[in-house]
Amino acid sequence: MLLNALALLAGLVPQAEAGAEALLHAKLPVVAAPAESAPPRFDPATRSVSNWHAQTGAQLQPRALAVTASLAEDPPYVARCVRLNNGWCIKSARWPGEIGADAEGHTAFATLDDGADAAASLLRRYYRDYGRHTALAIVRRWAPAECRSIAAPARSGRPVAASAVSATLAPRGLGRTLRARFLATHRPGGAPRGRAGLRVQPWSPLARMAGHAGRRRAPVPHVATLQPIPDIATGLTAPADPSGQATRRPARGVADPAALLDRRTDRRVPSPERMVAESALLPAIATGLPILDLRLPAPLCTGDEVRIQAYAARISGSAGLKPGDDLDLFGPDGAPRANLAPVMLAMSAVELGTLRAGPDLVAGAIARLRPLTPAANSAAP
């Protein structure tokens, strides 16, 4: 067997040498150089940049989710700002590298590096120009509350209620939408509401102030005619009524509450001036509302405040601080300090949700942060 293998190899060696010689002398085809890739473009229909898959797989973390997102066409866990190459969800302001914006004003960047550069520059502007040194102060302007219950007072001194929804969704206001009109005319469960007004108890101060001219008396229960009594009890009972029925005492109190308000039957009813004075001493229905104002108070931005507090706690905790502490992001000359990198990483994690910016992306943006001009350094922040 060994001799057969040696004989086979001896026969194949000359053929291999001939093939290699022919391959060396053959003319290889000229391969054209790859054309330059097309510049990234923003598609308003899909609200995404054409190269967001490659940018996500190269510079975002966690790596497993980033690579999966780069290979999938439309992964459900990817936030909208990831598709815009906007790792910090910055609004449009003619930033370097900006190629568009979505309907809500979020910037579409050509690369994630452009978005990181804009975030570092904007944080320095907040810290130096606007004097927002704490996490809470930065978040209240970076991601402000969307609930607007009462706007600034008008010139007449009365607060003007601002719309809580955009004019595109509700052109005639929130109260004129189909859903609002249905809820106003139906009870919980879908039953239609009645037309009965507010029920006022007859013994309340509101009933005394409003009067009772149109109030109907409660029907007095009918008392059956008493049976004839023996003569021995003559004189012990009330005299009989000529009509044949026993004399009934007018019902008072609980049986006929309206009788308490009838001045003809009870002359001890207080005067109107006294009733008004007593009603004025009663506590208001709600703090800050008139006594007869039964309107619901303005809604509170509770959800937005909780979100802002959690956001501020997340980014301040990344630097080992509290939401009200100075983050110490930049020096007096505008030079970035050590806390800038962890704060930017934490902000990106909050804005993007499942994904977040990588350390190399943030470090490159801080390294490219241009120093301030001497005029800006001398100006007071």
Side-chain angles (χ1 to χ4, degrees):
M1 183 181 293
L2 183 59
L3 294 176
N4 294 335
L6 292 176
L8 180 61
L9 289 176
L12 292 177
V13 168
Q15 297 180 5
E17 292 179 351
E21 188 71 17
L23 184 61
L24 291 175
H25 292 284
K27 294 183 178 179
L28 298 176
V30 179
V31 180
E36 296 182 0
S37 59
R41 56 181 180 83
F42 171 67
D43 186 6
T46 60
R47 295 190 300 177
S48 62
V49 183
S50 58
N51 65 341
W52 76 267
H53 290 89
Q55 292 289 314
T56 299
Q59 304 199 57
L60 294 186
Q61 289 188 349
R63 292 293 302 163
L65 293 178
V67 172
T68 304
S70 64
L71 299 176
E73 181 178 357
D74 189 14
Y77 60 86
V78 172
R80 59 181 176 182
C81 290
V82 175
R83 295 180 172 88
L84 300 175
N85 291 335
N86 190 347
W88 287 263
C89 290
I90 301 172
K91 293 298 184 70
S92 176
R94 297 182 180 180
W95 299 103
E98 179 178 346
I99 59 176
D102 62 1
E104 298 182 2
H106 294 97
T107 309
F109 290 100
T111 62
L112 280 170
D113 290 329
D114 295 329
D117 294 344
S121 177
L122 188 58
L123 278 175
R124 183 166 63 179
R125 185 183 304 174
Y126 280 7
Y127 195 86
R128 287 181 50 84
D129 299 344
Y130 299 152
R132 297 180 177 270
H133 296 169
T134 65
L136 271 176
I138 292 176
V139 173
R140 290 190 189 280
R141 188 176 179 91
W142 191 283
E146 298 179 359
C147 178
R148 294 289 184 269
S149 57
I150 297 180
R155 294 184 179 180
S156 59
R158 296 181 179 180
V160 179
S163 176
V165 297
S166 63
T168 305
L169 298 178
R172 298 184 179 180
L174 184 61
R176 301 224 175 215
T177 58
L178 183 62
R179 180 65 176 171
R181 286 183 291 173
F182 177 82
L183 293 177
T185 56
H186 292 76
R187 297 181 182 275
R193 295 181 182 271
R195 295 183 176 271
L198 179 66
R199 182 178 179 182
V200 179
Q201 300 296 341
W203 51 80
S204 65
L206 291 178
R208 296 182 182 181
M209 296 177 61
H212 57 280
R215 182 183 298 277
R216 297 182 180 179
R217 281 195 175 191
V220 179
H222 177 71
V223 180
T225 305
L226 299 178
Q227 298 293 332
I229 57 177
D231 295 339
I232 191 173
T234 303
L236 299 181
T237 60
D241 192 8
S243 61
Q245 297 181 355
T247 303
R248 299 190 305 269
R249 186 178 180 180
R252 304 286 297 167
V254 179
D256 187 11
L260 297 176
L261 303 178
D262 192 353
R263 297 185 182 180
R264 293 176 298 177
T265 60
D266 192 352
R267 297 183 179 180
R268 292 177 297 175
V269 176
S271 62
E273 292 78 9
R274 181 178 176 181
M275 283 189 256
V276 172
E278 291 178 356
S279 301
L281 296 177
L282 295 176
I285 296 177
T287 305
L289 296 178
I291 189 170
L292 296 179
D293 192 353
L294 302 180
R295 294 175 300 177
L296 293 176
L300 301 177
C301 300
T302 307
D304 279 339
E305 184 61 27
V306 172
R307 175 184 60 83
I308 290 175
Q309 293 286 346
Y311 196 161
R314 179 76 176 273
I315 65 176
S316 60
S318 65
L321 302 172
K322 296 181 179 180
D325 297 340
D326 190 340
L327 293 177
D328 193 22
L329 300 179
F330 299 93
D333 57 347
R337 291 188 172 176
N339 287 344
L340 179 59
V343 166
M344 289 186 64
L345 290 173
M347 293 180 68
S348 176
V350 174
E351 295 290 350
L352 300 185
T354 308
L355 300 172
R356 64 179 183 273
D360 296 338
L361 178 62
V362 173
I366 296 176
R368 291 188 299 269
L369 195 61
R370 297 180 180 178
L372 296 175
T373 60
N377 289 332
S378 60

